[in-house]
Amino acid sequence: MSSPTIVPRPDVVDHILPYIDAPLVKVLTGVRRCGKSTVLAMVMDELRSRGVPNDHIIRYNFDSLEFDDLKTARALYGAIRERVAPRAADSATTYLFLDEIQEVEDWERVVNSLMADFDVDIYVTGSNSRMMSSEISTHLTGRYVTFRVFPLSFREFLAFRRAAGENAEEGAGDTRRALADYLRRGGFPATALGGFSVEEIYAIVRDIYNSTIFTDIVRRNQIRKVDQLERIVRYTFDNVGRTFSAAAIAKYLKSQRRAIDEETVYSYLDKLERAYILHRCRRYDLAGKEILKTQEKYYLADTSLRYAVLGYDPDSVAAMLENLVYLELLRRGWEVFVGKVGDAEIDFVATRRERRMYLQVSQAIGSAQTEEREYGRLLAIRDSHPKYVLRTDDFAAGGHDGIRTMHVADFLLSDEW
């Protein structure tokens, strides 16, 4: 049986490599099946290429039954100590890769002890709230660096298609047609190389969704009203790109004879965010220069989640295009907000250190009224930061009073920002 194809992900791995041998725990987080384990394997391959012998590279995957008896701090520390201690005399670093470490009780104690007791360089991955910065910082203060791993970017999606022997999409037309495929199929690596049909992809994604909901949320948080949680999931999935409040969800559920209080809604949304299924996008008042605490938006970890759970709906395409742009901004290290300008809304205000840009995303601009809305909101912002209108129609190019117009596919592949 041939080994599975490994497609390089330099946009992810190259951020980690500078930290090899740094006295910091490297923490990779992200939704289940986004490729964290494969990224670890790529880092391990890099170490081997640098001459690190195999017996100085140790990996544990705690999703495997092979390590089921090592899920307490003491058991894991003892097992690793037996493997690391004999090498201490040769003064060479041992590299530890601990996959899905959140399955180990008090894993932070293990990592802290190993860092103190041995010459080790540690890499860990995780898929739930115990791996969020707010949790880790209480246990590994100042001794870690985090890397967020996302499902495949559009650039990576095209690379996976080429690896699978599909069309290389060299021309602009081919690339733009591939965008529609990417939007519907999503970017989970497990679905990108198998030659699966759309229906088969959604079956795989539905399993990812179920394992996240029932393992990382329901079981860990001992949630008893699973029906409530799933209704909230369906509501948020159906309202991607729209501002809403917990009160709106509570009112909606009440209309379906499913009474729930606002605090419980907030709690469920927080748990979905901590399982990396949802991303919360806050609003930013450009006039008052403050982050607003109401009417937030939520985006999905991958567009395929919506279609796997709710089915495909052509009316969802505009919102899913927004979702793609939002995720790409996060991948590249931008902090992203929904912009408020008076009573109007800017789809995204993205900031990175001293840089800022404004973006409007539209599936197509079919009327003068739509054009005025999309461009007029950006023209109302009186500063010199870059402004983009992103669209998918045949006229997605050029400029308008200093506003750059781009096709969404071209923006996702662009190196200019």
Side-chain angles (χ1 to χ4, degrees):
M1 181 177 178
S2 61
S3 59
T5 302
I6 300 295
V7 181
R9 297 187 67 182
D11 290 345
V12 180
V13 176
D14 287 354
H15 287 293
I16 302 170
L17 298 185
Y19 292 91
I20 289 176
D21 290 325
L24 300 165
V25 181
K26 274 63 75 174
V27 181
L28 283 63
T29 64
V31 69
R32 282 178 176 267
R33 306 292 296 279
C34 67
K36 299 184 297 295
S37 300
T38 304
V39 169
L40 284 190
M42 292 174 183
V43 175
M44 293 166 67
D45 286 342
E46 173 65 22
L47 291 172
R48 294 185 186 102
S49 74
R50 296 184 184 189
V52 176
N54 277 326
D55 64 349
H56 281 68
I57 300 174
I58 299 174
R59 182 175 186 175
Y60 293 86
N61 179 1
F62 298 103
D63 263 351
S64 170
L65 279 174
E66 180 182 357
F67 304 109
D68 202 45
D69 58 344
L70 299 180
K71 291 187 177 179
T72 66
R74 189 170 296 278
L76 180 58
Y77 179 82
I80 293 177
R81 181 183 58 191
E82 288 182 6
R83 298 183 67 178
V84 174
R87 299 181 181 83
D90 65 14
S91 300
T93 300
T94 299
Y95 297 87
L96 298 177
F97 294 84
L98 309 176
D99 209 355
E100 297 298 344
I101 190 66
Q102 81 277 350
E103 300 296 333
V104 178
E105 183 181 352
D106 294 330
W107 66 268
E108 302 93 340
R109 289 177 54 206
V110 180
V111 169
N112 275 325
S113 295
L114 292 168
M115 293 274 287
D117 298 344
F118 302 102
D119 181 7
V120 292
D121 191 23
I122 301 178
Y123 302 76
V124 304
T125 75
S127 305
N128 69 22
S129 62
R130 293 198 63 204
M131 305 305 298
M132 295 187 79
S133 295
S134 58
E135 295 286 330
I136 297 171
S137 61
T138 62
H139 301 283
L140 303 178
T141 306
R143 303 182 69 185
Y144 71 98
V145 58
T146 59
F147 303 92
R148 189 68 174 270
V149 181
F150 295 88
L152 302 178
S153 68
F154 186 42
R155 189 193 306 272
E156 290 173 325
F157 176 80
L158 295 179
F160 271 61
R161 283 175 67 124
R162 287 191 287 269
E166 300 184 37
N167 292 334
E169 292 90 22
E170 294 296 339
D174 291 332
T175 301
R176 293 174 182 187
R177 282 190 291 273
L179 177 67
D181 215 16
Y182 175 54
L183 185 142
R184 289 196 65 177
R185 291 172 174 262
F188 282 108
T191 68
L193 288 173
F196 299 111
S197 68
V198 172
E199 290 74 20
E200 290 165 339
I201 286 172
Y202 293 162
I204 294 169
V205 174
R206 182 78 195 202
D207 285 342
I208 295 171
Y209 165 81
N210 285 334
S211 64
T212 302
I213 293 295
F214 292 103
T215 300
D216 294 337
I217 299 179
V218 172
R219 191 182 73 187
R220 292 186 189 282
N221 296 283
Q222 298 181 326
I223 291 175
R224 285 175 291 190
K225 296 183 178 180
V226 179
D227 177 68
Q228 277 188 347
L229 172 64
E230 291 209 282
R231 286 175 183 272
I232 290 172
V233 170
R234 296 178 73 87
Y235 183 95
T236 56
F237 281 24
D238 198 34
N239 285 276
V240 167
R242 300 173 185 162
T243 56
F244 59 81
S245 63
I249 297 180
K251 182 178 179 180
Y252 166 75
L253 291 179
K254 185 178 180 180
S255 72
Q256 295 194 327
R257 303 182 184 277
R258 296 289 191 278
I260 187 173
D261 61 86
E262 291 180 31
E263 282 302 314
T264 303
V265 173
Y266 274 123
S267 175
Y268 284 158
L269 289 173
D270 181 64
K271 289 175 174 57
L272 290 163
E273 188 180 2
R274 287 171 173 265
Y276 303 111
I277 286 286
L278 294 181
H279 297 274
R280 179 166 56 104
C281 188
R282 297 170 294 174
R283 289 194 305 151
Y284 181 78
D285 186 344
L286 291 168
K289 297 182 179 180
E290 63 176 339
I291 296 173
L292 304 175
K293 297 181 179 180
T294 59
Q295 296 293 315
E296 298 160 326
K297 289 188 179 183
Y298 287 85
Y299 293 95
L300 309 185
D302 191 74
T303 54
S304 63
L305 285 162
R306 186 196 193 281
Y307 300 130
V309 174
L310 300 183
Y312 179 73
D313 176 3
D315 291 339
S316 70
V317 169
M320 292 299 99
L321 287 169
E322 261 189 56
N323 208 121
L324 293 181
V325 172
Y326 176 80
L327 290 177
E328 187 62 22
L329 291 166
L330 293 187
R331 280 189 194 94
R332 301 197 192 190
W334 294 81
E335 188 174 10
V336 188
F337 303 92
V338 178
K340 179 181 179 296
V341 183
D343 294 330
E345 181 181 283
I346 304 297
D347 287 338
F348 299 123
V349 178
T351 64
R352 190 171 67 186
R353 294 182 289 278
E354 74 282 358
R355 299 177 62 192
R356 173 180 290 190
M357 61 181 172
Y358 307 97
L359 305 102
Q360 289 286 90
V361 184
S362 180
Q363 184 176 357
I365 294 180
S367 67
Q369 183 179 8
T370 304
E371 183 171 2
E372 170 61 28
R373 183 184 70 236
E374 300 297 345
Y375 287 90
R377 293 178 182 182
L378 294 177
L379 290 171
I381 303 171
R382 303 296 184 181
D383 65 32
S384 59
H385 294 294
K387 302 174 180 68
Y388 293 89
V389 170
L390 308 178
R391 42 202 279 198
T392 59
D393 53 33
D394 291 336
F395 302 99
H400 179 83
D401 287 346
I403 298 171
R404 179 77 185 276
T405 303
M406 292 183 74
H407 196 284
V408 172
D410 297 336
F411 182 82
L412 295 177
L413 297 173
S414 174
D415 293 322
E416 73 176 37
W417 56 276

